[in-house]
Amino acid sequence: MDRFLIKGPCKIKGQVSISGSKNAALPILASTILFEKPVIIKNLPRVKDIDTMLNLLKSLGSKIQFLNNKSTVKITKNKKKKIFASYSLVKTMRAGILVLGPMIAKHHKSITSLPGGCLIGARPVNYHLNALKKLGMRYEIKKGYIHAISKGKLKGAIIKFSNISVGATENSIIAACLAKGKTILKNCAIEPEIKDLTDFLRSAGAKIKWIGKRTVQIDGVQSLNSIKYSVMGDRIEAGTFCVIASISNGNLLIKNFDPNLIKTELNLLKKIGSKIKIFKKEIYIQGTNKIKNINSIITKEYPNFPTDLQAQFMVLLCKANGRSIITENIFENRFMHVAELRRLGAKIMIKDNKAFIEGNTEFLGAELMSSDLRASAALVIAAIVAKGKSVINRIYHLDRGYEKIENKLRKIGANIKRLS
Ligand code: EPZ
């Protein structure tokens, strides 16, 4: 298994180009199951989860061609309709559940593996199943698989999500595109990746319109048109690099993403002392050597502070000149990075879903273990500013969601090597 060897502290300076958003690309790729005609998708990040989704689509009968560079694919549905989404593919990537909605909408039949939990939480799919049931899907769960059918087309319905869920919102929007009649989804997640999905579907002829802050209306259509679409830049990767500049007193020009999507995070970084200049598709950020603490960061659904940047900001607050508190409201077990940060010298106390961070920490290099995608990014950030050598094990977690991360880091001054 690959590991990273990082020698800190590193002087961070230069520019970094943000890749396409994994969490926008995954539902967009899954929704191509709805199409009869070819679709071209650009700006795909070359990360493990995207490869897994493309393999899953291939196993479901799609033809995948990489055009010019590997970040553009042409997806063509072949005539053979396959409906079995295997555990071997879905277990490594929870977003595999996103093929259920389009399969039921298109083929009226699907056998999809339950995605299984992961380290950050049980991550059930009950909100997905309840919503699709209201659209006419009937299912039973046998030996870890969801055996689903619908009598002919799905039928539009009015559905109010009991809790906000990114994936359940995405699955339902995709399924409703081909349903008969009107669907209204209430209490939706409104993460930017969902807007990218609805922009993609609408440009292919789907009739989708947001009629309230968290309410979307979908009028079913017969079919979708062939289109070419470019995926949005990854706001979580951009936020991760903003933390790297802020914690290392470095300066970075971070390009190819929409800064408006990380307004909450940028305001916090200004509060801790970073200097930030915002342009249309990039930002310039200058860190500080006097990092101010922040009394409280609370993760919540968009547009509030995102759970996917919680671990990275925790590392930053370890270096702040005072105490900070982070409250994690989205996942029940998303503090796995804390034990590893303590090995670097962090003083953090956990009580329920709150992390109390002492601050004024001098990180000293150590051997570390990755546990999940964003926690691994946090360990990389800490190792970059730690004194001495750090080894980060199981970086396959990182490879799931950060494209060519060590090349990007080396280019801005990090002393990092991948050991296979
Ligand atoms: C998406 O996961 C993202 N993944 C996650 O990013 C992100 O952390 C999460 O949204 C929250 O923003 C992708 O987009 C591929 P949810 P998702 O449904 O859709 C519970 C990363 O690092 N829940 O909004 O699975 C769930 O357990 C990943 O890129 C149910 O109980 O998130 C969680 O506690 C990590 N039943 C909460 O709701 C359900 O049916 C929010 O989950 C669905 C969810």
Side-chain angles (χ1 to χ4, degrees), residues 27-28 31 170 173-174 193-201:
I28 286 173
S31 73
E170 291 165 342
I173 288 173
I174 296 169
E193 293 75 21
I194 294 177
K195 183 167 177 314
D196 211 30
L197 170 67
T198 52
D199 288 352
F200 165 74
L201 290 167

Side-chain angles (χ1 to χ4, degrees), residues 346-362:
K347 300 178 283 303
I348 305 170
M349 199 269 285
I350 303 287
K351 190 164 174 4
D352 303 329
N353 65 337
K354 287 184 186 314
F356 298 84
I357 302 134
E358 266 311 304
N360 296 307
T361 301
E362 268 309 303

Side-chain angles (χ1 to χ4, degrees), residues 268 296-300 304-306 325-329 354:
L268 283 173
S296 163
I297 291 185
I298 300 174
T299 69
K300 276 215 184 84
N304 299 296
F305 185 85
I325 301 174
I326 293 185
T327 307
E328 171 55 56
N329 282 324
K354 287 184 186 314

Side-chain angles (χ1 to χ4, degrees), residues 238-282:
T240 304
F241 278 99
C242 287
V243 169
I244 292 174
S246 302
I247 194 172
S248 63
N249 191 13
N251 55 70
L252 284 179
L253 180 65
I254 304 173
K255 312 192 315 179
N256 298 336
F257 82 105
D258 177 358
N260 281 320
L261 303 182
I262 57 168
K263 269 201 290 251
T264 307
E265 300 87 313
L266 293 178
N267 290 336
L268 283 173
L269 291 172
K270 284 180 195 155
K271 263 173 86 174
I272 64 121
S274 297
K275 304 264 174 310
I276 297 171
K277 275 206 201 85
I278 296 180
F279 304 96
K280 194 162 175 316
K281 296 295 280 169
E282 56 195 35

